[in-house]
Amino acid sequence: SLAACVAWPGRSCLLRLKGRSRPRAPLGADGGGDVGLGAREEVRDRGLPIGRLRGRGGLLRDGGASALRVAPLEGDAEARHHGAEHGGRGGVAVGGYPSAAQYAPVGTYFDYWFAERPAGEVTLQIFGPDGNLVRGFSSEASGISFQVPEEPSMREWRLEQVGTPRLPSAAGMQRFVWDLRHAGPWSAPSDGGGSGGGGGPMVPPGIYEARLEAGDWSSTQKFEVVTDPRVLAEGMTADTLERQAAFALEVRDTLSTARLAAYQLSEARTELEGAETDQAQALDDALEIIEKEFVDEPYRYSPIMLLGQLQYLYGNLDRADQETSGDAITRHGELADVLEGLVAELERLLSTMRN
């Protein structure tokens, strides 16, 4: 049997739950089985809708987000992975400004427990239906931070989220939420990047596998990413979503190449500052010509150059589940061709500079 009380600190019990294990799936030593608490009826107390409990170990759901996972803990266990909740594509867009409403994150919830903090790195790897690595997270990652963009929007003030989420590794029960997205495009170290952080394309539906590792201990579990049923009702298919994700990844990689080239170009020009030789001045002049093709001029309403055009194209690819337009594919091909020529010239100049 199981009983639980939900209350604010220092307050009386707001909600009392009582239930028992279902006979057909008792709680096992491996943490499996279902806990049935009001399995077919909505639990209410003092007019507060709480939701239903379901899943391995029991999962209290409130508004579609995991609120509480009930699972047995082995007294002698050093670590335990309690499960990965199936993820649903879609959700509520939340603004980045301080007064925005806060909703539970959309994605797959990973719950795990450590008897004590692991001595080394904790990692979480997510593999796609084809067995290839989709995303990796670490307890030694930089973590998420917020910064004011270089050119804030004229319509509303927002913060930009930068960095890669850090995997929790403290002793006790931990929860990590994957937003169902690939790593985003490369960003310069000064922007909290250096590698793919957030903002990547959303993964297509399918069966995925998660592997959690801490030292010599590891646990692997499968979970399913499902499509928003409203999208399916409109005639969207899994094949369409796979094509959309594949093209978004292609554009992401092109944008990453452009950002890396712009960063190398900027670093080279900084290195040449103050150089007085004719050769150094000639190199800097040649690099400046390429830079003007890459980067917008530093004033408002300046023409949008290659980097900005790629960023705009990428930012519009998965705002909705839809078939990728032929115009987007054609435009990406044109921009990629221009980028290839500029990168070749940049590499030639950098080689001359190093020699």
Side-chain angles (χ1 to χ4, degrees), residues 64-123:
S66 308
L68 171 69
R69 185 177 291 276
V70 181
L73 299 180
E74 293 292 338
D76 297 332
E78 295 182 359
R80 184 166 295 280
H81 185 188
H82 292 285
E85 182 191 359
H86 299 311
R89 291 166 52 97
V92 181
V94 182
Y97 45 92
S99 61
Q102 298 299 307
Y103 298 95
V106 174
T108 295
Y109 287 56
F110 297 97
D111 294 328
Y112 50 97
W113 173 85
F114 294 121
E116 58 184 27
R117 186 183 186 90
E121 180 184 18
V122 179
T123 61

Side-chain angles (χ1 to χ4, degrees), residues 122-269:
V122 179
T123 61
L124 174 64
Q125 294 177 304
I126 300 169
F127 299 89
D130 57 2
N132 292 326
L133 181 66
V134 171
R135 195 76 197 270
F137 300 96
S138 168
S139 60
E140 298 179 358
S142 61
I144 293 295
S145 62
F146 294 89
Q147 65 182 23
V148 179
E150 293 183 1
E151 292 191 12
S153 171
M154 295 178 65
R155 295 185 179 180
E156 57 179 316
W157 182 78
R158 290 177 180 268
L159 290 172
E160 288 183 343
Q161 178 175 294
V162 298
T164 301
R166 182 185 296 115
L167 199 64
S169 61
M173 199 70 182
Q174 305 298 332
R175 165 165 289 170
F176 182 79
V177 183
W178 174 44
D179 60 3
L180 304 179
R181 292 185 175 275
H182 290 272
W186 185 90
S187 57
S190 59
D191 296 328
S195 61
M202 183 169 284
V203 300
I207 303 297
Y208 290 75
E209 185 175 271
R211 181 185 302 158
L212 183 67
E213 296 182 346
D216 296 332
W217 175 87
S218 67
S219 175
T220 301
Q221 294 196 19
K222 292 185 177 181
F223 61 97
E224 182 179 12
V225 175
V226 297
T227 308
D228 189 327
R230 296 168 296 181
V231 173
L232 296 175
E234 294 176 355
M236 197 64 57
T237 65
D239 289 342
T240 300
L241 298 179
E242 288 178 3
R243 289 194 297 270
Q244 182 186 27
F247 180 66
L249 287 172
E250 186 178 351
V251 179
R252 179 204 66 178
D253 293 343
T254 303
L255 177 58
S256 295
T257 301
R259 285 182 174 180
L260 178 58
Y263 175 73
Q264 292 175 330
L265 196 156
S266 176
E267 291 290 293
R269 293 204 66 196

